[in-house]
Amino acid sequence: MSFYLLTLAFLAAFVSASKPVAITWTDCSTSKYHAKITSVSYSNNPTTGSPFHAVATGTVDEYVTGGQASLSVSVNGVNVLNRQHSVCGTDHIDFPLGLGSADLTLLTCPLQPGRVQIVMSSTLSNIAPDASAVIHVHASDSKGEDLICAVVNLKIG
């Protein structure tokens, strides 16, 4: 009986151990884009099993009344999520297979030209495997013109 308890204790410790999450990002916009991300800050060192918060700060050169954002996520080269959303407001995303979730606070429309912030709160489950993920974000304004482009790279474990 004690062997089974020891095995259960080992598995519980293994599954619940947090892993570091390294994050890098790039602004992939060109000169024709109306917004530019200039910095991303994090509230703590991201790990699986713990909430972390990120704030992307930048500038926008036009009055924004609306538009569409698309998000795609690939893990180890395999596309696992595609999502469309308004560039305005908030969004909640549940990651596939119970691997976590994210809450986004996007643009507050209508938005005057100037400084802009996008806020994300996210938790990755401790069961997330060691992996590399690439998140690509593209947004266009209500006229269909390019607004925002960002690529975020995550290294879990």
Side-chain angles (χ1 to χ4, degrees), residues 6 11-13 18 22 27 43 47 49 52 70 73-74 79 82 89-90 94 107 109 116 122 132 153 155:
L6 182 61
L11 288 174
S18 66
D27 179 302
S43 63
T47 61
F52 65 92
S70 63
V73 179
S74 61
N79 187 286
N82 289 304
T90 61
D94 287 315
L107 304 181
C109 298
V116 63
S122 183
S132 295
N153 294 286
K155 176 82 170 126

Side-chain angles (χ1 to χ4, degrees), residues 66-89:
Q68 278 294 110
S70 63
L71 172 118
S72 65
V73 179
S74 61
V75 176
N76 292 339
V78 177
N79 187 286
V80 296
L81 179 68
N82 289 304
R83 187 166 181 102
Q84 300 283 326
H85 191 276
S86 169
V87 297
C88 307

